[in-house]
Amino acid sequence: MKPLSLRRGLLRAGGLAAILALAGCVAYAPPPQPSTYDRAYNAMLGAMADQGVAVSDANQAAGLITGARGPITVIATVAPQPDGTTRVEFRTKGDISKDPQLIERIGASYNARMGR
């Protein structure tokens, strides 16, 4: 009978050790991800900087960024949509003949920053 009670004692000790080991484990929730609106706004700001646009006004609450590169003014807007998506738009004003591809490069930088 002693071998059987020894085996039970070892099983209990092993079970207790496993419970104690698991008690030391902590599961953390992943950090919250920025909203689609915040990601889009930050990507717009970064895309403009990537292409050498000097930002003169950035208002995240209004979803508006304005800047210039030489004689070209760039206006970026971001707006949440009722379906949960975010609408982003880049526009230029001024003499775009000085850099006709600027808006396309900004769009490409934005898409790269958004992982597209």
Side-chain angles (χ1 to χ4, degrees):
M1 278 208 184
K2 287 193 179 205
L4 184 58
S5 64
L6 179 61
R7 187 181 315 173
R8 283 185 185 156
L10 289 174
L11 285 174
R12 285 184 184 147
L16 181 60
I19 290 170
L20 291 174
L22 289 176
C25 295
V26 179
Y28 294 98
Q33 298 297 315
S35 71
T36 304
Y37 179 91
D38 291 338
R39 283 188 66 226
Y41 185 86
N42 291 330
M44 287 183 349
L45 200 55
M48 290 173 75
D50 290 346
Q51 298 308 317
V53 176
V55 173
S56 57
D57 185 35
N59 185 333
Q60 188 168 0
L64 181 65
I65 303 169
T66 306
R69 178 176 168 138
I72 304 171
T73 299
V74 179
I75 302 158
T77 57
V78 60
Q81 301 296 296
D83 65 357
T85 60
T86 302
R87 182 168 187 244
V88 173
E89 182 179 348
F90 292 99
R91 294 177 289 136
T92 55
K93 293 190 328 186
D95 187 3
I96 60 168
S97 67
K98 299 293 181 184
D99 190 352
Q101 301 303 313
L102 177 61
I103 197 77
E104 286 83 10
R105 290 195 319 271
I106 292 171
S109 288
Y110 171 80
N111 285 331
R113 286 176 170 272
M114 291 297 287
R116 298 179 186 155

